[in-house]
């Protein structure tokens, strides 16, 4: 029985998958021309059937560049904390030392470092249909997002940032685990997150 092709195959996987063909490389090229395989970046592909089935952008983001997990505004929208759709995921990375962007036919994917001390904290698997992918918790996504913004030093400015600028849903914000955020903010070494901690205490 022929093995079922995985949704996000690597080039090495495809060479092995098509190893019984006289020219596996040409077979991969033919499948790309037919549209049954789509190249996301060098060495990474997605199947047309997975796209048609609705493979989540978060899983594609995990696969394109890693290790990484989806976070920032994309995850805030995922948890219903902000009202606007966020079509292009931004993911957190560790020790890459630069921001990365990958343009594909299915959106743009962004990546940026967060501090090593906090990277492994509060990462969960999010399930979407038959798939699952790595993402920040709601608390971590908020901290990641704020850690990239200019320094906020007053509670008044923090309130304006959260509920006016970022348009965080106040009811959803109240449901976040304040203790967990308080534990996270100390790991970022960020003035803005220190102020968030003070804001929650108040």
């Amino acid at each position: 029985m022929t093995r079922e092709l995985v949704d996000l195959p690597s080039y090495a996987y495809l060479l092995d998958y098509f190893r019984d063909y006289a020219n596996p490389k040409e077979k991969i090229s033919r499948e790309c021309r037919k549209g049954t395989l789509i190249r996301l970046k060098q060495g990474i592909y997605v199947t047309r059937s997975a796209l048609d089935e609705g493979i989540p952008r978060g899983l594609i983001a995990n696969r394109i560049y890693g290790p990484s997990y989806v976070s920032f505004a994309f995850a805030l929208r995922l948890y219903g904390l902000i009202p606007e759709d966020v079509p292009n995921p931004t993911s957190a990375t560790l020790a890459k030392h630069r921001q990365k962007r990958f343009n594909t036919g299915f959106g743009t994917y962004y990546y940026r470092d967060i501090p090593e001390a906090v990277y492994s904290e509060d990462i969960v698997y999010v399930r979407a249909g038959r798939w699952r992918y790595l993402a920040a918790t709601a608390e971590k996504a908020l901290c990641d997002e704020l850690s990239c913004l200019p320094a906020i030093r007053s509670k008044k400015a923090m309130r304006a940032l959260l509920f006016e600028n970022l348009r965080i849903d106040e009811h959803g914000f109240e449901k976040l685990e304040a203790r967990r955020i308080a534990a996270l903010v100390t790991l970022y070494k960020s003035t803005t997150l220190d102020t968030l901690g003070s804001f929650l205490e108040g």
Side-chain angles (χ1 to χ4, degrees), residues 66-201:
S68 65
Y69 63 87
V70 294
S71 188
F72 305 97
F74 184 84
L76 292 176
R77 175 57 181 164
L78 177 70
Y79 294 117
L81 284 168
I82 58 176
E84 292 85 9
D85 185 34
V86 182
N88 299 312
T90 299
S91 299
T93 53
L94 174 64
K96 301 295 186 181
H97 306 300
R98 60 175 177 163
Q99 297 182 39
K100 292 282 288 185
R101 181 180 72 184
F102 295 91
N103 296 314
T104 76
F106 311 98
T108 301
Y109 296 80
Y110 299 92
Y111 300 82
R112 63 186 309 161
D113 275 355
I114 66 165
E116 181 177 358
V118 76
Y119 180 85
S120 62
E121 301 292 327
D122 284 45
I123 303 173
V124 296
Y125 277 108
V126 172
R127 186 163 292 281
R130 65 180 177 85
W131 296 282
R132 64 177 192 164
Y133 59 91
L134 287 171
T137 61
E139 292 81 4
K140 177 78 170 294
L142 178 62
C143 291
D144 283 348
E145 180 71 14
L146 295 183
S147 72
C148 299
L149 300 179
I152 298 294
R153 292 181 167 84
S154 74
K155 294 180 182 180
K156 181 179 180 181
M158 178 58 65
R159 173 170 286 279
L161 173 63
L162 291 172
F163 305 123
E164 296 175 23
N165 297 356
L166 296 179
R167 300 183 66 196
I168 299 289
D169 178 75
E170 293 195 43
H171 183 64
F173 182 81
E174 291 173 358
K175 291 183 177 180
L176 297 178
E177 293 188 27
R179 287 186 179 181
R180 192 60 208 142
I181 294 176
L184 288 170
V185 299
T186 62
L187 303 176
Y188 286 86
K189 308 302 181 185
S190 159
T191 297
T192 297
L193 286 174
D194 289 343
T195 304
L196 175 64
S198 299
F199 179 79
L200 289 169
E201 291 174 0

Side-chain angles (χ1 to χ4, degrees), residues 7-105:
D7 297 320
L8 290 162
S10 68
Y11 189 68
Y13 175 94
L14 290 171
L15 288 175
D16 181 66
Y17 185 82
F18 294 123
R19 65 183 181 275
D20 293 335
Y21 286 79
N23 190 334
K25 292 181 179 180
E26 177 56 28
K27 173 62 175 173
I28 294 169
S29 296
R30 286 200 305 272
E31 294 302 318
C32 288
R33 291 194 293 269
K34 286 166 54 180
T36 54
L37 280 175
I38 297 94
R39 182 178 178 272
L40 291 172
K41 58 169 277 192
Q42 184 174 358
I44 300 293
Y45 298 77
V46 62
T47 64
R48 169 56 63 182
S49 59
L51 288 171
D52 291 344
E53 194 179 340
I55 188 171
R57 288 170 292 174
L59 180 56
I60 293 175
N62 283 179
R63 188 74 173 94
I64 286 177
Y65 192 60
S68 65
Y69 63 87
V70 294
S71 188
F72 305 97
F74 184 84
L76 292 176
R77 175 57 181 164
L78 177 70
Y79 294 117
L81 284 168
I82 58 176
E84 292 85 9
D85 185 34
V86 182
N88 299 312
T90 299
S91 299
T93 53
L94 174 64
K96 301 295 186 181
H97 306 300
R98 60 175 177 163
Q99 297 182 39
K100 292 282 288 185
R101 181 180 72 184
F102 295 91
N103 296 314
T104 76

